[in-house]
Amino acid sequence: MKIWLDGELQDAGEARVSVFDHGLTVGDGVFETVKAERGRAFALTRHLERLATSARGLGLPAPDLDEVRRGCTAVLDANPMPLGRLRITYTGGLSPLGSDRGEAGPTLVVAASEAARRPDTTAAVTVPWTRNERGALAGLKTTSYGENVVALARARERGASEALFANTVGALCEGTGSNVFVVLDGELHTPPLASGCLAGITRALTVAWAGAKETDLPWDVLESAEEIFLTSTLRDVQAVTRIDDRQLADAPGPVTAEAMRIFDREAAADFDPR
Ligand code: PLP
């Protein structure tokens, strides 16, 4: 496996990042997961823009997006796979313990791994912890993902693949690595970005293509919604069959199935042409 580090391709087993890297010591970094099919990245420009937005939010120097793109292309070319994911990690870089970040400049790593085609349906749980929609990290894709790790472990203990958070005012927000959509009276809704959720790329495309409304949704909407689905880079549009103990019979329901069809059709045009 070849990865991109220090501006060049390197063997993953040989590549070295300092133990003093701020990304490792304090989680001072941002990342992107990009889907790739047969060497072509999906929605890469949107991912690069979000990487830059997250870096700005964290006060990191602006990433050189041309270099990130070069790294993505090089890694995809060096690791051929039918379906994969690119992982772009950009951190505050080398810093002696106890001092401020970045004396040797930021660290950029691009790696790839094989991905499995996602199942069309999944189970989800709710967790009692909240997303802080007014927090400094709200809406940023940072490497400080500890809360998501804890919540996802809770989901797995209960035989589910995703955990959903409310925000601090008790509104539906998002999952550990996905956005959430609900169907109410036959209409598709998703929480607005002000809820504190990540500006998911799959979410934005689903809003545009399937015509979902961005609506403040109370947490208990999960008890009454006719249909629920998740969106993310690796799930695409994925129907929820069970939320906690509530079964959603016949998932994917008609609105979700239509959103899946539209997404698959439109997404085919959004792979990097290369
Ligand atoms: N919310 C969080 C917290 C995430 O980490 C992700 C995954 O990247 C998403 C939502 C979905 O975003 P996207 O569709 O861009 O993968």
Side-chain angles (χ1 to χ4, degrees):
M1 179 67 68
K2 297 275 191 196
I3 67 156
W4 183 266
L5 175 68
D6 296 333
E8 60 181 17
L9 280 176
Q10 304 190 17
D11 280 327
E14 306 289 313
R16 294 284 175 266
V17 173
S18 168
V19 293
F20 296 119
D21 192 286
H22 243 208
L24 177 67
T25 56
V26 296
D28 180 22
V30 298
F31 77 104
E32 284 295 320
T33 300
V34 184
K35 182 172 55 173
E37 278 186 23
R38 291 176 302 280
R40 296 162 70 215
F42 179 68
L44 185 57
T45 301
R46 287 175 185 263
H47 281 284
L48 296 183
E49 283 166 3
R50 188 171 64 188
L51 185 79
T53 302
S54 298
R56 198 177 319 121
L58 210 54
L60 292 171
D64 175 349
L65 296 185
D66 289 336
E67 194 210 330
V68 184
R69 192 181 277 277
R70 257 197 318 283
C72 291
T73 306
V75 167
L76 286 174
D77 287 349
N79 304 287
M81 51 185 79
L83 179 63
R85 74 179 87 171
L86 287 170
R87 161 81 189 214
I88 306 167
T89 310
Y90 180 72
T91 80
L94 179 62
S95 169
L97 284 181
S99 82
D100 278 332
R101 68 154 78 111
E103 282 155 28
T107 302
L108 169 68
V109 183
V110 184
S113 58
E114 291 214 44
R117 176 131 333 259
R118 53 97 177 100
D120 281 347
T121 60
T122 195
V125 299
T126 58
V127 285
W129 310 297
T130 50
R131 275 276 192 268
N132 183 357
E133 71 283 6
R134 287 166 299 148
L137 301 185
L140 305 181
K141 201 163 165 63
T142 76
T143 54
S144 301
Y145 254 35
E147 273 209 324
N148 293 320
V149 171
V150 171
L152 191 56
R154 175 68 64 92
R156 294 209 166 118
E157 279 162 24
R158 297 195 202 154
S161 81
E162 184 56 304
L164 297 179
F165 292 93
N167 64 14
T168 65
V169 292
L172 180 62
C173 185
E174 66 175 343
T176 68
S178 64
N179 293 104
V180 58
F181 287 69
V182 297
V183 177
L184 302 172
D185 293 328
E187 283 199 333
L188 197 49
H189 300 266
T190 194
L193 298 182
S195 71
C197 67
L198 184 75
I201 290 166
T202 325
R203 170 191 179 279
L205 295 174
T206 305
V207 166
W209 293 339
K213 295 196 172 106
E214 299 179 77
T215 315
D216 284 315
L217 297 162
W219 184 230
D220 62 8
V221 76
L222 295 174
E223 291 163 22
S224 56
E226 294 128 49
E227 301 174 37
I228 302 172
F229 67 75
L230 306 175
T231 61
S232 81
T233 291
L234 293 175
R235 294 175 191 270
D236 295 332
V237 174
Q238 191 179 48
V240 172
T241 51
R242 172 171 65 84
I243 177 91
D244 294 330
D245 294 329
R246 180 183 174 214
Q247 301 286 340
L248 287 117
D250 304 324
V255 179
T256 304
E258 179 64 3
M260 285 172 160
R261 265 193 299 276
I262 295 173
F263 189 86
D264 286 348
R265 187 184 68 219
E266 300 293 326
D270 216 327
F271 281 87
D272 212 11
R274 298 186 57 212

